[in-house]
Amino acid sequence: MIDFSKNTVFKLAPCNPQDIAPTVQPIIIHGEQVMACFKAVRDFVVFTDKRLIAVNVQGVTGKKKDFTSLPYSKIQAFSIETAGTFDLDAELDLWFSGLGKVRLEFKGSADIRQLGHLIASHVL
């Protein structure tokens, strides 16, 4: 499992869903839809209509991968911080029941408000 106790787990930028689809397709359930994808250097995060999937690519070859599934139904609270003039990164903080706080950091090109809306539509 990914160590979410670190201050920032990922620094993410938007990516094309087709680039990561083959990797996450085996764990997507029938009827689940990918809503947004964000990638770091090797790791990535997928927001579906049911959960957040964090993928930690491990090892030199990258063949070993850790998939962490975080269902929206377990979110107790969330916070978004938009990018500013000097601080170009945006942040999404999620508090999960039984896990605690998960922070995802996004490069300025990510639409953090859209992610906030996505989370709110499934949590509230």
Side-chain angles (χ1 to χ4, degrees):
M1 176 142 155
I2 295 172
D3 181 10
F4 289 109
S5 63
K6 291 190 249 174
N7 190 26
T8 300
V9 177
F10 299 107
K11 190 153 190 172
L12 303 158
C15 71
N16 188 338
Q18 285 83 16
D19 293 343
I20 55 94
T23 305
V24 295
Q25 194 58 43
I27 64 168
I28 299 290
I29 63 171
H30 179 70
E32 185 175 14
Q33 297 179 20
V34 172
M35 306 301 283
C37 309
F38 298 89
K39 191 168 181 7
V41 176
R42 292 176 16 146
D43 303 329
F44 57 92
V45 174
V46 177
F47 290 84
T48 74
D49 58 342
K50 300 184 183 309
R51 60 186 163 160
L52 181 154
I53 302 169
V55 181
N56 181 7
V57 179
Q58 302 174 354
V60 176
T61 63
K63 287 187 177 188
K64 183 176 180 179
K65 294 172 183 64
D66 173 68
F67 295 86
T68 302
S69 178
L70 303 165
Y72 297 141
S73 63
K74 298 298 182 187
I75 296 175
Q76 295 177 318
F78 68 96
S79 170
I80 61 169
E81 182 179 308
T82 60
T85 303
F86 297 107
D87 181 6
L88 301 177
D89 297 326
E91 296 168 359
L92 172 65
D93 291 331
L94 304 162
W95 285 267
F96 286 90
S97 173
L99 180 63
K101 180 179 171 183
V102 171
R103 170 171 279 181
L104 301 173
E105 191 173 309
F106 298 86
K107 294 184 179 179
S109 60
D111 188 353
I112 195 73
R113 289 183 181 100
Q114 180 185 6
L115 284 179
H117 183 61
L118 172 69
I119 300 293
S121 67
H122 290 91
V123 172
L124 302 178

